[in-house]
Amino acid sequence: MKVEMWMDFVCPYCYLGKAKFEKALENFSDKENVEIIYKSFELNPNSSKIQTDTMSEFLSKEYGMTMEDIQENNDRLTAEAKGLGLVYNLETAMPVNSLNAHRLLQYAKEIGKEAKVVSLIFKTHFTDNKNISDIDTLAKLSKEAGLEEEKVRQILNSDKYTDKVLQDEKESQDIGVDIVPYFLINKKVTVAGEQSIETIKKGLEEALVE
């Protein structure tokens, strides 16, 4: 069973979605035969690589949300993340451009190291609040994931793997992805947006039957 997951590293719902998928998989009867394929999706492709605003300030300016509403939503997401074993520091996360992080993902997929890389990028952004557009930051976390740091630096200092990112995004447009996380299971069953562990498991079971 192939599960394709479109996600963005600056999306708090995507980090939650990944964790919920892993929880759903724990009690899935055919879990040994499930392969997850991470797909790139940029929510804000025009974002700067360097940000002086926090995520809260960005949301307030970009969407006109009040700080009270933002704080309430942050508290809800932080509590949900804690229940899944994740640590969110949303008030001080940086709304940076995620293209370099996605290019690193595409390289990691090529050498079979994507699972660890995806987890570390999410943690670096949401827990450590480091700039995941910064090449030094990505090179260091890639080393922790077992990749060759100098090779990663060479890739990120070029435009390599940008075409792979755009290919994923073109595919998402073709199938009508308009919200992330977006799970496509065996090209048939979809689970999109902020969903429960139970809903994700139901999608897996539906795909197994089909």
Side-chain angles (χ1 to χ4, degrees):
M1 180 181 291
K2 292 185 184 295
V3 180
E4 296 165 281
M5 178 188 177
W6 275 267
M7 48 88 196
D8 195 359
F9 292 111
V10 295
C11 169
Y13 302 99
C14 292
Y15 196 11
L16 292 176
K18 175 181 177 294
K20 288 178 182 179
F21 174 81
E22 290 164 356
K23 289 288 186 184
L25 204 57
E26 287 177 4
N27 298 312
F28 179 55
S29 62
D30 200 38
K31 64 182 178 182
E32 302 300 329
N33 294 313
V34 175
E35 175 189 4
I36 186 164
I37 302 164
Y38 297 102
K39 298 277 193 171
S40 296
F41 190 102
E42 295 173 274
L43 287 168
N44 297 293
N46 296 319
S47 292
S48 172
K49 291 182 178 180
I50 301 174
Q51 283 285 355
T52 56
D53 288 344
T54 63
M55 183 64 74
S56 295
E57 291 167 337
F58 170 79
L59 290 172
S60 179
K61 291 177 182 178
E62 188 76 8
Y63 300 106
M65 298 173 66
T66 67
M67 282 298 180
E68 290 78 12
D69 287 343
I70 293 169
Q71 187 62 54
E72 183 179 338
N73 194 50
N74 284 349
D75 289 345
R76 180 181 67 82
L77 290 172
T78 300
E80 187 172 7
K82 185 178 181 180
L84 292 164
L86 308 177
V87 177
Y88 271 15
N89 293 306
L90 296 175
E91 288 79 8
T92 46
M94 292 182 285
V96 293
N97 189 290
S98 58
L99 177 59
N100 282 345
H102 282 293
R103 291 201 294 130
L104 175 56
L105 163 63
Q106 296 296 333
Y107 169 58
K109 284 167 65 174
E110 193 172 88
I111 59 173
K113 300 279 189 178
E114 65 271 29
K116 184 67 172 176
V117 165
V118 167
S119 295
L120 283 172
I121 294 175
F122 272 128
K123 178 182 177 295
T124 298
H125 179 70
F126 286 108
T127 304
D128 304 333
N129 293 160
K130 294 180 181 178
N131 185 347
I132 59 167
S133 190
D134 179 69
I135 291 175
D136 283 340
T137 298
L138 292 173
K140 288 173 183 175
L141 75 82
S142 70
K143 183 179 181 180
E144 186 178 345
L147 280 68
E148 186 181 337
E149 184 177 352
E150 189 53 41
K151 173 71 172 178
V152 169
R153 288 183 185 277
Q154 291 173 1
I155 289 169
L156 296 179
N157 277 306
S158 70
D159 64 353
K160 289 181 178 178
Y161 295 95
T162 300
D163 59 332
K164 298 289 188 182
V165 175
L166 296 177
Q167 183 177 321
D168 278 358
E169 294 176 343
K170 172 64 165 58
E171 188 178 355
S172 75
Q173 293 168 8
D174 290 344
I175 65 175
V177 176
D178 59 2
I179 189 171
V180 286
Y182 185 97
F183 296 94
L184 178 60
I185 309 171
N186 277 353
K187 301 290 186 184
K188 293 179 179 179
V189 179
T190 63
V191 180
E194 186 180 9
Q195 301 292 344
S196 66
I197 295 170
E198 291 72 23
T199 299
I200 296 171
K201 187 183 176 188
K202 184 178 177 181
L204 289 167
E205 291 170 343
E206 182 181 341
L208 182 62
V209 172
E210 290 192 9

